[in-house]
Amino acid sequence: MSSIDKIKLELNKHADPEKANFLPNFFKAGPGGYGEGDKFISVKVPVQRKVAKKYYKTLSLEEVELLLRDPIHEYRLTALIILVNKFEKAKTERERKSIKDFYLKNISFVNNWDLVDSSADKILGAYLFDKEKDILYGFAKSDNLWENRVAIISTFYFIKNEEFEDTLNIAKILLKHEHDLIHKAVGWMLREVGNRNFDIEFNFLREHYKNMPRTMLRYAIEKFEPELRNKFLKGLI
């Protein structure tokens, strides 16, 4: 039995068919939804992380690719967790680059919000931290929803390392995006900036909040004191 088959077998043992019937609605996998066509078996993420930890050392990138290109959502998420483990344990810049290149090659399979959020900052953001970030700006301007989300979520790595400029620049590009998933992602990243430097977030919001979607603003100011939050919501800043 191949490693891929063993991984699938272990995941299938923990599948929850009843909950799996609910997930297509949660992840908007029906006709016209952002996750259209996605299939689910419902395996809890801690289980996927445990399986990924067991196999990431021995699984080749070619095998990871097979798992990542599977129509089953949980198989793809497990593949990405394996990829993150490989990246974080890589000993050389060459290894890190090969994993980053692999991630970009297969970016079309990172095609739901949890898949993006589990991998973008940990692989692409981590790799690009001390390098040119043109790829993120290209993704921010893309017509692809998931590339847009990869662009802003990748900057979470920068934020955690006290670098905020790219987050703010990409937030400006996505300020008038039409999709709720981007509104939430941008607002979340702005909030994370504020958690580390309130003044930077406040000054950005003061300049742009009247032009941003309501959901984006609500996410961004979630941790503000009630009085200040209400002023922003009422347009009184």
Side-chain angles (χ1 to χ4, degrees):
M1 183 182 293
S2 71
S3 294
I4 294 292
D5 290 335
K6 290 177 182 177
I7 289 171
K8 290 182 177 180
L9 183 62
E10 289 199 36
L11 292 174
N12 291 344
K13 284 180 181 178
H14 295 276
D16 183 342
E18 185 175 342
K19 187 176 179 182
N21 293 328
F22 161 77
L23 290 178
N25 181 58
F26 182 73
F27 284 102
K28 302 296 187 289
Y34 57 69
E36 183 174 359
D38 219 347
K39 301 182 185 304
F40 301 86
I41 58 173
S42 185
V43 181
K44 293 180 178 179
V45 173
V47 172
Q48 295 182 60
R49 293 194 183 281
K50 185 176 180 180
V51 172
K53 185 176 181 180
K54 180 177 179 180
Y55 287 97
Y56 84 90
K57 291 182 180 178
T58 57
L59 213 63
S60 69
L61 287 181
E62 289 75 19
E63 290 172 311
V64 175
E65 188 168 47
L66 290 175
L67 199 60
L68 184 54
R69 295 185 174 217
D70 196 283
I72 301 296
H73 185 96
E74 290 83 357
Y75 295 169
R76 299 204 307 286
L77 180 53
T78 301
L80 288 167
I81 296 170
I82 288 172
L83 201 63
V84 168
N85 286 340
K86 282 182 171 292
F87 185 88
E88 291 179 343
K89 299 298 183 181
K91 292 182 172 57
T92 67
E93 182 68 8
R94 184 176 179 179
E95 287 181 85
R96 285 162 53 90
K97 183 179 184 301
S98 70
I99 294 168
K100 180 270 296 184
D101 289 343
F102 174 92
Y103 185 73
L104 291 176
K105 174 188 171 186
N106 289 280
I107 201 70
S108 63
F109 299 95
V110 186
N111 56 355
N112 217 310
W113 57 266
D114 62 324
L115 304 181
V116 173
D117 297 358
S118 297
S119 61
D121 64 307
K122 297 171 182 65
I123 297 175
L124 197 53
Y127 183 81
L128 294 176
F129 179 61
D130 57 355
K131 301 175 180 66
E132 292 295 325
K133 301 170 178 64
D134 293 352
I135 185 69
L136 296 186
Y137 288 89
F139 278 179
K141 296 173 184 177
S142 167
D143 293 329
N144 183 285
L145 171 67
W146 304 121
E147 290 182 359
N148 300 154
R149 190 166 176 113
V150 165
I152 189 64
I153 296 298
S154 290
T155 71
F156 196 12
Y157 186 90
F158 312 157
I159 294 169
K160 287 182 280 190
N161 286 275
E162 303 292 327
E163 294 287 345
F164 309 125
E165 182 178 358
D166 293 295
T167 301
L168 302 182
N169 289 340
I170 290 173
K172 289 178 188 176
I173 294 171
L174 298 173
L175 203 61
K176 296 185 178 181
H177 199 285
E178 295 181 353
H179 205 288
D180 183 66
L181 284 177
I182 302 302
H183 302 169
K184 293 176 179 178
V186 172
W188 171 24
M189 290 301 102
L190 291 173
R191 184 175 74 235
E192 292 295 341
V193 169
N195 286 344
R196 292 156 179 85
N197 191 312
F198 174 81
D199 290 342
I200 287 178
E201 184 194 10
F202 178 82
N203 290 334
F204 180 88
L205 290 176
R206 184 168 55 184
E207 181 179 355
H208 297 288
Y209 82 101
K210 290 185 178 179
N211 295 317
M212 66 173 51
R214 198 71 165 176
T215 296
M216 187 183 295
L217 177 61
R218 286 186 177 278
Y219 269 63
I221 64 175
E222 186 178 41
K223 299 289 183 66
F224 284 13
E225 292 295 326
E227 183 178 353
L228 181 58
R229 188 167 63 243
N230 286 334
K231 284 184 177 180
F232 270 106
L233 292 173
K234 293 177 180 178
L236 299 176
I237 298 297

